[in-house]
């Protein structure tokens, strides 16, 4: 079926291989298996669509591997499909046209997956079929004759098991055998150019049906599948939702419990390093900058790395087991009632990690009004950057408290913040789809993938990549912001400010009290300027400074508070902890600056506020207009202020503190 035109060794010299496959077919797992950590993420030139490439290293050569978006077809009904088609045609600048396509096929869903394979035949590029999920396929008492399937398709067919590290060399041999050849596929025997679209589709499915019937044997026709019985419970409209809430509650409970020890060790480590650095440096501005600006600022965020890792651990497990798709099925009923497209669930779920990839994932929604509605509510999903803020507030004022004798109040509050964001997002979507973005919702068709055991390699790799992105952000954006904030709080000094000099003279030339220096700094003046506006929310001017800083990145609030409460700090055991400093912070009149009600008000503010300039930038790029990001910033700021106001003032009316 394949006519060779070049020697395989020559073809392997500088080869580009594209991975193509349906969503949930195991393409990401295979890509991670083949490339390891030799990966990079970028945008296609001229569009805001991410693509991954990596280096597939074998004993013979190193190959560039391109991971195409997950596709059901190549009929260009979405941006993903259009980009994939353009890549395969060699029309994307800076991206080489693939020499070989590896079609990733889920063995448990052969007929649906093979439809995409028949479309890949149309590009005249050699194809190799990589079969995944074979362990699940065999457990269902099916048998597959790969040699016969290969003969009928006219392409090599290789069984893969990335979890066990099997199939790498076999796949490479298959790719090498077809590289540089002129493919001739059985499906092209007829004159498809003269056929109608419906006739071509029928021809494809007729061909696929023949291949599957000839190469697959079934021995479980009378057996009830485990996944079907399990789905009756997990997708039940009542029990399924109850289980989903229980799963989320368990996740947050585990995050708080398991992360406590490593977080404490990290905090002690940064404290020790700061003390060591100060002891080895001469007193002065540079020492203050290094310890109070850089170490305290970045360290105040990095101590939350264990919780970020745990969050992505659970997200990866839920995705890899197939449960995430069941959650999408459950919540689609609610989403359709408020007018959202069913495809909006996956971008919104992605936004729990970060709103930026979530917003970019909306490109799979064809209708622009449905897409914009999803973009405008995506930041209401509590992303991982908000997690340090929630954790700090809960640790400072609700630590060690339980309900029902065993359930942490911290876990309950954490879940409540996520539920609040989802609830408000649903309400906002309901309003948007009946006013400025009115349109009829399109039907939602979604596949429920088979249940499977999570792939440990994939989970660990996802955790590593997400954690590294978090660390890079702390090492770049947060570092820069920490230095700027430190400067705003450190200056002007006595030589630059007459009022500060007078206080020093009155104090006998002794160092300034923390409150006086900070109050007269540039940051203090900015905080005082907005204090009348935020006082009804329970915030003082110091919290105002942290709020302003957090508009650069949500988690910067933690590093800002770390810097604020380390300026002229008292040398005692409790002040070594940011939590202790927050608990003991006082206003000029001696009253506590923070109370549990203040902390709760701040958490509500952070659930609803648009506090990430990067998100605004990506919305500008995705909508090609400043109208929508400015609208998003405005409505979310109003929501955050009103929500925090109701929380604080309502709590006071109820006698809470």
């Amino acid at each position: 079926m394949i006519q060779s035109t070049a020697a395989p060794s020559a073809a392997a010299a500088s080869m580009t291989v594209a991975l193509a496959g349906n969503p949930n077919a195991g393409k990401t797992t295979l890509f991670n298996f083949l490339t390891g950590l030799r990966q990079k993420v970028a945008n296609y030139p001229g569009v805001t669509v991410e693509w991954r490439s990596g280096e597939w290293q074998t004993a013979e050569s190193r190959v560039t591997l391109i991971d195409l978006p997950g596709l059901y077809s190549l009929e260009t009904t979405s941006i993903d499909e259009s980009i994939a088609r353009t890549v395969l045609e060699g029309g994307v600048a800076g991206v080489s046209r693939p020499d070989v396509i590896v079609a990733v096929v889920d063995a448990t869903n052969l007929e649906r997956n093979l439809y995409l394979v028949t479309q890949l035949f149309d590009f005249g590029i050699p194809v190799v079929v990589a079969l995944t999920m074979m362990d699940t396929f065999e457990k269902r008492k099916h048998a597959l004759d790969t040699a016969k399937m290969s003969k009928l398709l006219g392409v090599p067919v290789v069984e893969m098991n990335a979890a066990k590290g099997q199939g790498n060399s076999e796949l490479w041999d298959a790719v090498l055998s077809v590289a540089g050849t002129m493919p001739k596929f059985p499906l092209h025997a007829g004159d498809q150019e003269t056929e109608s679209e419906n006739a071509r589709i029928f021809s494809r499915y007729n061909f696929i049906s023949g291949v599957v019937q000839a190469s697959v044997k079934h021995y479980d026709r009378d057996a009830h599948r485990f996944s079907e019985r399990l789905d009756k419970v997990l997708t039940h409209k009542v029990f399924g939702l109850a289980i989903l809430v229980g799963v989320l509650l368990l996740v947050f409970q585990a995050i708080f419990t398991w992360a406590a020890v490593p977080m404490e060790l990290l905090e002690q480590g940064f404290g020790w390093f700061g003390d060591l650095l100060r002891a080895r440096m001469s007193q002065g501005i540079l020492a203050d900058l290094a310890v109070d600006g850089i170490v305290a600022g970045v360290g105040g965020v990095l101590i939350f790395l264990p919780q970020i890792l745990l969050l992505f651990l659970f997200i990866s497990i839920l995705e890899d087991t197939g449960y995430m798709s069941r959650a999408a099925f459950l919540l689609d009923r609610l989403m359709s009632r408020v007018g959202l497209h069913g495809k909006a669930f996956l971008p919104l779920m992605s936004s729990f990690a970060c709103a930026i990839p979530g917003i970019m994932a909306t490109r799979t929604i064809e209708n622009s009004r449905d897409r914009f509605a999803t973009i405008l509510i995506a930041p209401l999903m509590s992303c991982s950057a908000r997690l340090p803020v929630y954790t700090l507030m809960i640790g400072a004022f609700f630590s060690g408290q339980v309900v029902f004798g065993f359930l942490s109040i911290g876990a309950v509050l954490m879940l409540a913040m996520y539920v609040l964001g989802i609830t408000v997002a649903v309400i906002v979507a309901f309003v948007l789809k009946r006013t400025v973005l009115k349109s009829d919702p399109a039907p939602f068709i979604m596949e429920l993938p088979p249940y499977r055991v999570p792939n440990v390699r994939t989970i660990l790799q996802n955790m590593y990549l997400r954690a590294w992105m978090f660390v890079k952000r702390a090492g770049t954006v947060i570092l820069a912001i920490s230095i700027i904030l430190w400067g705003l709080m450190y200056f002007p000094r006595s030589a630059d400010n007459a009022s500060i000099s007078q206080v020093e003279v009155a104090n006998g030339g002794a160092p300034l009290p923390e409150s006086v220096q900070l109050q007269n700094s540039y940051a203090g003046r900015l905080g005082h300027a907005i204090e009348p506006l935020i006082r009804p929310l329970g915030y003082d001017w110091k919290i105002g400074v942290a709020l302003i800083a957090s508009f650069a990145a949500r988690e910067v609030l933690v590093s800002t508070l770390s810097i604020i409460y380390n300026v002229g700090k008292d040398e005692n055991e409790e002040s070594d902890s940011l939590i202790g400093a927050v608990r003991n912070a006082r206003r000029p009149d001696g009253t506590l600056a923070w109370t549990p009600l203040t902390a709760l008000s701040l958490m509500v503010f952070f659930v609803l506020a648009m506090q990430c300039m990067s998100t605004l930038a990506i919305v500008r790029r995705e909508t090609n207009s400043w109208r929508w990001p400015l609208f998003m910033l405005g409505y979310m700021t109003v929501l955050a202020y009103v929500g925090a106001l109701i929380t604080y003032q309502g709590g006071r009316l109820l006698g809470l503190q």
Side-chain angles (χ1 to χ4, degrees):
M1 293 296 180
I2 298 176
Q3 302 172 355
S4 178
T5 60
S9 58
S14 57
M15 193 186 302
T16 298
V17 176
L19 281 186
N22 289 181
N24 300 311
K27 184 167 62 67
T28 299
T29 301
L30 180 59
F31 180 79
N32 291 339
F33 169 58
L34 296 178
T35 61
L37 299 179
R38 301 177 296 275
Q39 304 176 9
K40 64 180 180 179
V41 179
N43 280 348
Y44 285 108
V47 293
T48 54
V49 176
E50 278 190 350
W51 68 293
R52 293 196 306 167
S53 64
E55 185 182 277
W56 180 13
Q57 185 172 344
T58 69
E60 296 88 354
S61 182
R62 294 182 179 181
V63 175
T64 299
L65 201 62
I66 298 175
D67 185 20
L68 295 177
L71 308 162
Y72 286 111
S73 70
L74 283 164
E75 295 168 356
T76 65
T77 58
S78 70
I79 299 176
D80 275 350
E81 292 164 2
S82 177
I83 285 292
R85 176 178 287 275
T86 307
V87 170
L88 295 176
E89 291 172 347
V92 177
V95 182
S96 299
R97 186 172 191 263
D99 300 292
V100 177
I101 302 173
V102 173
V104 183
V105 172
D106 177 3
T108 64
N109 289 287
L110 282 173
E111 293 197 12
R112 179 182 51 73
N113 279 240
L114 287 175
Y115 183 81
L116 176 65
V117 175
T118 64
Q119 290 184 314
L120 295 174
F121 290 167
D122 296 341
F123 291 91
I125 301 174
V127 174
V128 173
V129 171
L131 289 174
T132 60
M133 317 294 180
M134 283 299 298
D135 51 347
T136 304
F137 178 84
E138 292 169 353
K139 286 178 182 177
R140 293 181 177 180
K141 299 181 180 179
H142 301 316
L144 174 63
D145 188 336
T146 54
K148 181 172 288 187
M149 177 175 283
S150 175
K151 182 178 179 180
L152 293 171
L153 290 175
V155 300
V157 178
V158 180
E159 295 184 15
M160 301 296 301
N161 192 327
K164 296 182 179 180
Q166 298 173 355
N168 189 352
S169 59
E170 291 83 357
L171 182 62
W172 170 247
D173 290 340
V175 168
L176 201 60
S177 70
V178 300
T181 64
M182 183 65 68
K184 185 177 180 181
F185 304 111
L187 186 62
H188 293 163
D191 187 4
Q192 292 197 348
E193 292 184 2
T194 61
E195 292 181 331
S196 67
E197 180 63 27
N198 289 337
R200 283 197 297 270
I201 293 174
F202 177 80
S203 176
R204 291 182 192 277
Y205 276 115
N206 188 48
F207 170 74
I208 292 168
S209 178
V211 171
V212 173
Q213 289 182 22
S215 56
V216 177
K217 301 296 181 184
H218 303 276
Y219 302 101
D220 69 335
R221 297 186 184 278
D222 299 327
H224 293 287
R225 294 178 179 175
F226 170 75
S227 62
E228 292 176 351
R229 298 196 299 269
L230 195 57
D231 277 341
K232 289 182 180 179
V233 178
L234 295 182
T235 61
H236 191 273
K237 61 182 180 180
V238 176
F239 301 123
L241 286 173
I243 292 172
L244 177 59
V245 172
V247 168
L248 294 176
L249 194 58
L250 178 64
V251 167
F252 296 132
Q253 177 81 5
I255 287 175
F256 271 98
T257 304
W258 298 352
V261 173
M263 286 178 68
E264 184 177 349
L265 292 175
L266 279 173
E267 183 180 10
Q268 292 174 357
F270 278 109
W272 171 84
F273 181 70
D275 292 339
L276 177 66
L277 199 61
R278 190 179 291 278
R280 298 204 171 192
M281 296 181 69
S282 302
Q283 288 188 352
I285 293 179
L286 288 179
D288 292 339
L289 170 62
V291 177
D292 298 330
I294 298 175
V295 175
V298 177
V301 175
L302 288 182
I303 63 170
F304 297 100
L305 184 59
Q307 289 190 326
I308 302 298
L309 284 168
L310 285 173
L311 177 64
F312 286 113
L313 167 66
F314 288 114
I315 288 177
S316 298
I317 290 175
L318 293 177
E319 288 178 342
D320 227 26
T321 57
Y323 181 73
M324 195 71 84
S325 296
R326 273 74 185 178
F329 174 78
L330 281 170
L331 296 180
D332 174 60
R333 297 167 184 166
L334 175 62
M335 295 171 65
S336 61
R337 290 176 182 173
V338 300
L340 282 176
H341 193 283
K343 290 183 179 179
F345 175 77
L346 294 179
L348 294 179
M349 283 301 298
S350 300
S351 297
F352 281 113
C354 178
I356 293 174
I359 289 170
M360 296 182 68
T362 62
R363 60 184 180 264
T364 59
I365 303 174
E366 294 84 0
N367 185 283
S368 61
R369 289 178 178 265
D370 291 335
R371 183 172 178 242
F372 284 6
T374 307
I375 288 174
L376 291 174
I377 66 171
L380 288 169
M381 305 297 107
S382 283
C383 66
S384 59
R386 290 180 173 107
L387 194 60
V389 180
Y390 300 158
T391 303
L392 176 61
M393 297 297 103
I394 291 171
F397 299 102
F398 304 99
S399 178
Q401 302 178 41
V402 297
V403 291
F404 306 120
F406 70 95
L407 190 59
S408 166
I409 287 184
V412 174
L413 284 176
M414 184 75 78
L415 179 60
M417 294 302 108
Y418 280 76
V419 171
L420 175 62
I422 294 171
T423 303
V424 173
V426 167
I427 296 172
V428 171
F430 182 85
V431 174
L432 289 175
K433 288 311 300 291
R434 282 156 180 79
T435 54
V436 295
L437 294 173
K438 187 175 182 179
S439 65
D440 295 327
F444 176 47
I445 300 174
M446 182 178 182
E447 169 208 359
L448 294 182
Y451 293 100
R452 50 182 177 262
V453 177
N455 184 283
V456 176
R457 180 189 178 99
T458 299
I459 290 173
L460 293 177
Q461 202 152 32
N462 287 340
M463 291 172 63
Y464 168 79
L465 291 174
R466 293 296 183 181
W468 176 237
M469 290 174 64
F470 179 77
V471 171
K472 282 204 303 183
R473 192 173 187 181
T476 55
V477 176
I478 296 176
L479 173 60
I481 294 172
S482 296
I483 293 174
I484 293 171
L485 290 172
W486 172 86
L488 291 174
M489 290 181 289
Y490 194 84
F491 298 104
R493 308 304 290 175
S494 58
D496 305 318
N497 192 300
S499 61
I500 296 181
S501 299
Q502 292 173 2
V503 174
E504 285 188 334
V505 171
N507 200 35
L512 289 176
E514 173 193 0
S515 59
V516 176
Q517 171 60 47
L518 187 57
Q519 185 171 354
N520 288 276
S521 68
Y522 296 125
R525 297 172 189 176
L526 185 60
H528 279 296
I530 67 168
E531 187 173 29
L533 183 64
I534 62 176
R535 190 180 296 118
L537 310 183
Y539 311 154
D540 64 2
W541 62 271
K542 294 182 182 180
I543 301 176
V545 173
L547 280 179
I548 293 173
S550 69
F551 275 89
R554 296 171 181 93
E555 65 269 41
V556 170
L557 178 130
V558 177
S559 60
T560 305
L561 291 177
S562 178
I563 295 172
I564 287 175
Y565 293 125
N566 274 292
V567 175
K569 65 181 181 180
D570 296 328
E571 296 298 330
N572 58 60
E573 181 179 357
E574 190 171 12
S575 63
D576 290 337
S577 167
L578 177 58
I579 290 178
V582 168
R583 285 175 180 166
N584 295 324
R586 294 184 179 273
R587 295 188 173 98
D589 61 3
T591 60
L592 288 171
W594 293 85
T595 65
L597 191 56
T598 305
L600 192 59
S601 170
L602 188 71
M603 291 172 69
V604 170
F605 187 94
F606 262 76
V607 170
L608 305 176
M610 176 62 255
Q611 290 156 311
C612 180
M613 301 305 295
S614 299
T615 301
L616 286 178
I618 203 66
V619 172
R620 163 65 180 84
R621 292 172 62 189
E622 291 291 324
T623 63
N624 197 30
S625 169
W626 276 111
R627 171 190 175 190
W628 296 111
L630 292 177
F631 173 75
M632 174 189 287
L633 176 62
Y635 98 77
M636 293 189 69
T637 302
V638 171
L639 275 180
Y641 189 90
V642 173
L645 181 67
I646 293 174
T647 301
Y648 185 74
Q649 297 298 337
R652 292 186 64 188
L653 289 175
L654 294 174
L656 302 177
Q657 296 181 348

